[in-house]
Amino acid sequence: DTGVSQDPRHKITKRGQNVTFRCDPISEHNRLYWYRQTLGQGPEFLTYFQNEAQLEKSRLLSDRFSAERPKGSFSTLEIQRTEQGDSAMYLCASSFRDYRLAGTGELFFGEGSRLTVL
Amino acid sequence: LAKTTQPISMDSYEGQEVNITCSHNNIATNDYITWYQQFPSQGPRFIIQGYKTKVTNEVASLFIPADRKSSTLSLPRVSLSDTAVYYCLAVYYGGATNKLIFGTGTLLAVQP
């Protein structure tokens, strides 16, 4: 399978613990996104990487959240001191932007990592 | 980023054609209309996109009138497996990120 993969698929943790999610994008994709989704809502943008550079962060991304993409390949999203409000599905997506072509850059999403904070 | 408005939910029966209309009154000149589909516990999946007139692929058709202030996603002969949330987005691919801004989408329920 050459799609976007996320690990773990499910994580249950106690409030105050740290959790880390990993995303492996499609290999040739230069852009990587993290989204968060709660029940009944559409995905909310968290942050974006162009290769290894983190170019944009949403105000939703508090100081307890940190994302990295070393070497421009896989990415990790860490949540420190988890709170019950952090319970959500965390989605990773990747895309390839070809500046020569208009209307390109479709996002490919992984199946998500579901976090439950007790 | 253009705001899109679509119905919260729709019901249909197997074998029927389903049309989901999306309004985007303030769409920008360089925005593309893009639709994603999401099944429970999965990430969204790209369905179709267009700039104007009609676009058709193996899954759906997209109709965009000349003024581009609305668009209609058409799903021919739906089946139970088409039950999902459908998101309409106006996407500007020339931006620094081309991040997607999702609304709440349209929950399509297909019944036997």
Side-chain angles (χ1 to χ4, degrees), chain B residues 56-67:
Chain B
T56 298
N57 62 21
E58 64 277 7
V59 176
S61 294
L62 179 60
F63 300 90
I64 305 172
D67 66 6

Side-chain angles (χ1 to χ4, degrees), chain A residues 24-38:
Chain A
D24 287 274
I26 294 172
S27 60
E28 63 269 24
H29 284 186
N30 52 3
R31 295 183 163 190
L32 187 145
Y33 308 76
W34 283 99
Y35 282 79
R36 181 174 68 187
Q37 186 173 27
T38 54

Side-chain angles (χ1 to χ4, degrees), chain B residues 50-56 61-66 68 70-72:
Chain B
Y51 185 79
K52 59 182 178 180
T53 64
K54 178 182 175 182
V55 178
T56 298
S61 294
L62 179 60
F63 300 90
I64 305 172
R68 302 196 340 116
S70 67
S71 59
T72 300

Side-chain angles (χ1 to χ4, degrees), chain B residues 12-30:
Chain B
S12 182
Y13 293 94
E14 281 191 293
Q16 289 188 332
E17 178 185 73
V18 171
N19 296 309
I20 305 175
T21 297
C22 176
S23 66
H24 24 82
N25 291 319
N26 63 337
I27 189 169
T29 302
N30 295 322

